[in-house]
Short mmCIF file of all heavy atoms in Angstrom, two decimals:
data_model
loop_
_atom_site.label_atom_id
_atom_site.label_comp_id
_atom_site.label_asym_id
_atom_site.label_seq_id
_atom_site.Cartn_x
_atom_site.Cartn_y
_atom_site.Cartn_z
N ASP S 40 64.39 -175.10 -115.65
CA ASP S 40 64.67 -173.78 -116.31
C ASP S 40 65.35 -174.04 -117.74
O ASP S 40 65.04 -173.26 -118.62
CB ASP S 40 65.67 -172.97 -115.40
CG ASP S 40 65.00 -172.57 -114.06
OD1 ASP S 40 63.75 -172.53 -114.07
OD2 ASP S 40 65.70 -172.35 -113.15
N ILE S 41 66.27 -174.93 -117.81
CA ILE S 41 66.86 -175.24 -119.02
C ILE S 41 65.87 -175.75 -120.04
O ILE S 41 65.85 -175.33 -121.24
CB ILE S 41 68.06 -176.35 -118.84
CG1 ILE S 41 69.20 -175.71 -118.02
CG2 ILE S 41 68.54 -176.77 -120.17
CD1 ILE S 41 70.24 -176.68 -117.67
N GLU S 42 64.92 -176.62 -119.60
CA GLU S 42 63.89 -176.99 -120.45
C GLU S 42 63.06 -175.98 -121.00
O GLU S 42 62.69 -175.91 -122.30
CB GLU S 42 63.07 -178.05 -119.67
CG GLU S 42 61.79 -178.54 -120.33
CD GLU S 42 60.90 -179.25 -119.36
OE1 GLU S 42 61.45 -180.05 -118.52
OE2 GLU S 42 59.70 -179.15 -119.44
N GLU S 43 62.71 -174.94 -120.11
CA GLU S 43 61.91 -173.89 -120.54
C GLU S 43 62.63 -173.01 -121.53
O GLU S 43 62.05 -172.50 -122.50
CB GLU S 43 61.49 -173.01 -119.30
CG GLU S 43 60.31 -172.13 -119.56
CD GLU S 43 59.02 -172.91 -119.58
OE1 GLU S 43 58.92 -173.98 -119.02
OE2 GLU S 43 58.10 -172.31 -120.06
N GLN S 44 63.86 -172.82 -121.30
CA GLN S 44 64.68 -172.03 -122.26
C GLN S 44 64.84 -172.67 -123.69
O GLN S 44 64.66 -172.06 -124.70
CB GLN S 44 66.13 -171.80 -121.72
CG GLN S 44 66.14 -170.90 -120.46
CD GLN S 44 67.50 -170.77 -119.84
OE1 GLN S 44 68.55 -171.32 -120.44
NE2 GLN S 44 67.67 -170.20 -118.75
N ASN S 45 65.05 -174.03 -123.66
CA ASN S 45 65.18 -174.79 -124.90
C ASN S 45 63.79 -174.76 -125.65
O ASN S 45 63.83 -174.59 -126.90
CB ASN S 45 65.47 -176.18 -124.63
CG ASN S 45 66.92 -176.45 -124.13
OD1 ASN S 45 67.71 -175.60 -124.49
ND2 ASN S 45 67.20 -177.53 -123.48
N LEU S 46 62.68 -174.88 -124.93
CA LEU S 46 61.38 -174.76 -125.56
C LEU S 46 61.24 -173.35 -126.19
O LEU S 46 60.75 -173.29 -127.36
CB LEU S 46 60.21 -175.01 -124.59
CG LEU S 46 60.07 -176.43 -124.04
CD1 LEU S 46 59.10 -176.51 -122.97
CD2 LEU S 46 59.62 -177.40 -125.24
N PHE S 47 61.57 -172.36 -125.50
CA PHE S 47 61.45 -170.98 -126.05
C PHE S 47 62.37 -170.81 -127.32
O PHE S 47 61.91 -170.23 -128.32
CB PHE S 47 61.76 -169.96 -125.00
CG PHE S 47 61.77 -168.59 -125.56
CD1 PHE S 47 60.71 -167.95 -126.02
CD2 PHE S 47 63.05 -167.88 -125.65
CE1 PHE S 47 60.79 -166.60 -126.54
CE2 PHE S 47 63.13 -166.57 -126.21
CZ PHE S 47 61.95 -166.04 -126.60
N LEU S 48 63.66 -171.22 -127.21
CA LEU S 48 64.56 -171.17 -128.33
C LEU S 48 64.10 -171.89 -129.53
O LEU S 48 64.08 -171.35 -130.67
CB LEU S 48 65.90 -171.57 -127.97
CG LEU S 48 66.64 -170.73 -126.80
CD1 LEU S 48 68.02 -171.30 -126.48
CD2 LEU S 48 66.94 -169.28 -127.47
N THR S 49 63.57 -173.14 -129.39
CA THR S 49 63.09 -173.88 -130.49
C THR S 49 61.92 -173.24 -131.17
O THR S 49 61.81 -173.09 -132.40
CB THR S 49 62.69 -175.29 -130.06
OG1 THR S 49 63.84 -175.95 -129.41
CG2 THR S 49 62.21 -176.13 -131.21
N THR S 50 60.89 -172.88 -130.35
CA THR S 50 59.63 -172.32 -130.88
C THR S 50 59.98 -170.89 -131.49
O THR S 50 59.36 -170.59 -132.62
CB THR S 50 58.61 -172.08 -129.78
OG1 THR S 50 58.49 -173.37 -129.06
CG2 THR S 50 57.26 -171.82 -130.31
N ASN S 51 60.77 -170.13 -130.86
CA ASN S 51 61.08 -168.84 -131.49
C ASN S 51 61.88 -168.91 -132.79
O ASN S 51 61.70 -168.15 -133.71
CB ASN S 51 61.91 -168.04 -130.48
CG ASN S 51 62.00 -166.53 -130.85
OD1 ASN S 51 60.94 -165.94 -131.08
ND2 ASN S 51 63.16 -166.06 -130.85
N SER S 52 62.74 -170.01 -132.86
CA SER S 52 63.49 -170.18 -134.19
C SER S 52 62.52 -170.51 -135.25
O SER S 52 62.60 -170.03 -136.47
CB SER S 52 64.50 -171.32 -133.88
OG SER S 52 65.41 -171.04 -133.00
N VAL S 53 61.49 -171.43 -134.99
CA VAL S 53 60.53 -171.69 -136.06
C VAL S 53 59.73 -170.54 -136.40
O VAL S 53 59.51 -170.24 -137.58
CB VAL S 53 59.63 -172.84 -135.55
CG1 VAL S 53 58.49 -173.05 -136.50
CG2 VAL S 53 60.38 -174.17 -135.24
N LEU S 54 59.40 -169.68 -135.40
CA LEU S 54 58.57 -168.47 -135.67
C LEU S 54 59.48 -167.50 -136.55
O LEU S 54 58.84 -166.98 -137.52
CB LEU S 54 58.22 -167.80 -134.42
CG LEU S 54 57.30 -166.60 -134.46
CD1 LEU S 54 56.30 -166.61 -133.38
CD2 LEU S 54 58.12 -165.33 -134.42
N LEU S 55 60.72 -167.38 -136.26
CA LEU S 55 61.56 -166.44 -137.01
C LEU S 55 61.66 -167.00 -138.48
O LEU S 55 61.73 -166.20 -139.49
CB LEU S 55 62.89 -166.29 -136.38
CG LEU S 55 62.91 -165.56 -135.10
CD1 LEU S 55 64.27 -165.51 -134.53
CD2 LEU S 55 62.48 -164.14 -135.18
N ALA S 56 61.83 -168.44 -138.64
CA ALA S 56 61.96 -168.92 -139.96
C ALA S 56 60.66 -168.79 -140.79
O ALA S 56 60.80 -168.44 -141.98
CB ALA S 56 62.23 -170.40 -139.84
N VAL S 57 59.47 -168.83 -140.08
CA VAL S 57 58.18 -168.70 -140.81
C VAL S 57 58.16 -167.22 -141.23
O VAL S 57 57.68 -166.88 -142.36
CB VAL S 57 57.05 -169.14 -139.95
CG1 VAL S 57 55.73 -168.72 -140.62
CG2 VAL S 57 57.12 -170.62 -139.67
N GLU S 58 58.44 -166.31 -140.30
CA GLU S 58 58.38 -164.88 -140.60
C GLU S 58 59.32 -164.55 -141.81
O GLU S 58 58.92 -163.82 -142.72
CB GLU S 58 58.81 -164.02 -139.35
CG GLU S 58 58.75 -162.59 -139.71
CD GLU S 58 59.23 -161.87 -138.41
OE1 GLU S 58 59.61 -162.42 -137.44
OE2 GLU S 58 59.31 -160.57 -138.57
N SER S 59 60.48 -165.12 -141.84
CA SER S 59 61.36 -164.85 -142.94
C SER S 59 60.82 -165.36 -144.27
O SER S 59 60.99 -164.69 -145.27
CB SER S 59 62.75 -165.57 -142.62
OG SER S 59 63.64 -165.25 -143.62
N SER S 60 60.25 -166.52 -144.18
CA SER S 60 59.72 -167.07 -145.42
C SER S 60 58.46 -166.31 -145.97
O SER S 60 58.17 -166.36 -147.20
CB SER S 60 59.31 -168.59 -145.24
OG SER S 60 58.16 -168.68 -144.31
N LEU S 61 57.84 -165.58 -145.07
CA LEU S 61 56.63 -164.84 -145.48
C LEU S 61 56.98 -163.43 -146.08
O LEU S 61 56.12 -162.78 -146.57
CB LEU S 61 55.66 -164.71 -144.41
CG LEU S 61 55.11 -166.00 -143.84
CD1 LEU S 61 54.16 -165.69 -142.64
CD2 LEU S 61 54.23 -166.67 -144.96
N ARG S 62 58.27 -163.04 -145.87
CA ARG S 62 58.57 -161.71 -146.38
C ARG S 62 58.42 -161.63 -147.88
O ARG S 62 58.85 -162.49 -148.60
CB ARG S 62 60.04 -161.34 -146.03
CG ARG S 62 60.28 -161.21 -144.51
CD ARG S 62 61.72 -160.85 -144.29
NE ARG S 62 61.95 -160.81 -142.85
CZ ARG S 62 61.86 -159.75 -142.10
NH1 ARG S 62 61.43 -158.55 -142.66
NH2 ARG S 62 62.05 -159.75 -140.79
#
Side-chain angles (χ1 to χ4, degrees):
D40 293 338
I41 294 175
E42 172 190 321
E43 198 74 20
Q44 293 175 7
N45 288 337
L46 288 170
F47 172 71
L48 291 175
T49 301
T50 310
N51 194 52
S52 297
V53 174
L54 184 142
L55 292 175
V57 173
E58 180 187 356
S59 178
S60 68
L61 293 176
R62 291 179 185 272

